[in-house]
Amino acid sequence: MNSNYFNSNLNRAETAKLVVSAIQRVIGDLPAGLHEPRFAGNEWHYVKECLDTTFVSSVGKFVDRFESEVAAYTGARHVVAVVNGTAALHIALRLAGVQPGDEVLTPALSFVATANAVSYCGATPHFVDCDESNLGMCPVAVRDHLRSIGELRQGVCFNRITGRRISAMVPMHTFGHPADMNGLLSVAHDFSLQLIEDAAESLGSKYHGCHTGTFGVMGTLSFNGNKTITTGGGGAILTNDEELARRAKHITTTAKLPHRWAYEHDEIGYNYRMPNINAALGCAQLEQIQVFLQAKRSLFSSYAEAFSNIPCMSLLNEPDGCSSNFWLQTLRLEEADASLRETILMTANDAGYSARPVWSLMHNLKHFEDCPRSPLPLAESLECRLINIPSSVTLAARCGIDHNHLDLG
Ligand SMILES: *Cc1c(COP(=O)(O)O)cnc(C)c1O
């Protein structure tokens, strides 16, 4: 089908109707949000225990337990739980050595938290392009860009145009699909950059058998209400480096020196500790993650089948060699058919199915417009043709695709 087909509003409307009826065939008639949490395990029980014992806040056993269970699940040697994913990124960047005045390579296509965290360090985000297939930072584009603007001086990478040091890169695993970590690690190595992974969206996603967030010097997770599992609000720093983990714990807990009663602090710290009541929720949620992941995979299969005959678009699948958590199901329109997006968004939302475009690219936000950037042809093209559709765990039960007997009732 060529692009002229959609010069007609009539045909755009017809195709949007096909999309909505495909969604309806999979998840039924009831309205559906984009990603709603599900509390069907020990949530009440553990949260009640916090209330009954009064340990709702910064002391309690659930924080330690949640940290060690996230470590066991991801394979990271150390985990530090914090108030949210943005705070986790802030601390990870600081501890990786990002200094005021530095530049940090971040995807133009990401949620705003990635670039904000760089700014909190007094550094400047430097936006780079993404890959068409996994929507993650593109190692080929980043290498080309660094060859053109970067310069290694005694093992330190500088931006020849701005004169600033480029100290790190922060790839992000978009909608739960792992970025090309081998390619990115190799660029980071060749240009002497620290690599910190924003794995906020990819709990449960693996790249060649290893959990996302465990490849860089540090990785970060989010447990916000719309993520794969939630603690209400929450985040975590993952690292295999014992000293970095100790530092992360210390500065996220006001840099207080351990003592039975005295308040002594040995540097400026942050009050970023995850409260016990949130960790209690997290422990209960993590117990159900296998069921959640199976449900999301089933939902993907059903959508993929339902969309297979609709022209001009495809459902984003997991990259080769990877296992995605399918956090948000994503329709990608063909480049020539981007003009369909608004009609689909309108028709789906009117029908009660939440559908959203991807984030505005970071360099188009007012406060980031002066930041340095590479050419962004793919990010700019993809921005206009990605649509997220209802992706909640609970939808797998609602649509009768419970092939795996998921007990989602
Ligand atoms: C959710 C998210 C974060 C962190 O969000 P918080 O709401 O602070 O937990 C960071 N980066 C990306 C890409 C995200 O999607």
Side-chain angles (χ1 to χ4, degrees), residues 140-319:
V140 176
V142 174
R143 184 181 291 280
D144 282 352
H145 183 57
L146 284 171
R147 278 189 181 137
S148 101
I149 62 102
E151 179 173 76
L152 278 173
R153 295 186 213 144
Q154 290 159 339
V156 179
C157 186
F158 283 87
N159 180 335
R160 274 194 283 114
I161 296 160
T162 63
R164 292 188 288 235
R165 178 172 84 134
I166 304 176
S167 52
M169 61 158 73
V170 191
M172 193 274 282
H173 305 291
T174 311
F175 305 139
H177 299 296
D180 177 355
M181 290 315 298
N182 282 342
L184 291 166
L185 284 164
S186 148
V187 175
H189 173 266
D190 294 349
F191 288 89
S192 224
L193 306 177
Q194 294 279 17
L195 190 150
I196 296 109
E197 287 169 85
D198 182 350
E201 305 185 351
S202 63
L203 181 69
S205 301
K206 291 181 171 178
Y207 176 84
H208 297 294
C210 292
H211 200 284
T212 51
T214 63
F215 290 86
V217 60
M218 275 174 288
T220 62
L221 299 174
S222 167
F223 309 110
N224 192 34
N226 62 346
K227 295 299 201 307
T228 300
I229 70 166
T230 184
T231 60
I237 300 165
L238 314 182
T239 183
N240 289 329
D241 184 310
E242 187 176 353
E243 177 56 14
L244 286 175
R246 195 195 59 74
R247 291 274 300 132
K249 191 71 181 176
H250 188 60
I251 66 170
T252 55
T253 53
T254 70
K256 184 180 179 301
L257 297 173
H259 191 279
R260 280 169 63 207
W261 55 80
Y263 287 92
E264 293 286 351
H265 306 263
D266 62 357
E267 64 182 302
I268 294 176
Y270 302 83
N271 180 15
Y272 278 178
R273 175 207 298 256
M274 177 183 280
N276 198 49
I277 195 166
N278 299 82
L281 206 48
C283 289
Q285 288 267 288
L286 195 58
E287 288 169 356
Q288 303 162 78
I289 192 161
Q290 287 312 336
V291 173
F292 288 5
L293 293 176
Q294 280 178 49
K296 294 172 81 61
R297 184 170 288 274
S298 297
L299 188 61
F300 167 77
S301 307
S302 299
Y303 273 139
E305 200 177 311
F307 284 108
S308 61
N309 293 322
I310 304 181
C312 317
M313 65 190 73
S314 56
L315 194 66
L316 213 69
N317 201 347
E318 60 197 352

Side-chain angles (χ1 to χ4, degrees), residues 16-56:
K17 276 192 210 148
L18 288 178
V19 169
V20 169
S21 59
I23 295 175
Q24 185 195 28
R25 274 206 308 288
V26 174
I27 66 170
D29 294 325
L30 293 175
L34 201 65
H35 202 285
E36 287 155 359
R38 173 182 167 80
F39 303 116
N42 286 318
E43 286 87 351
W44 271 113
H45 181 60
Y46 294 166
V47 169
K48 183 171 183 303
E49 190 178 320
C50 295
L51 301 180
D52 289 344
T53 59
T54 77
F55 285 116
V56 293

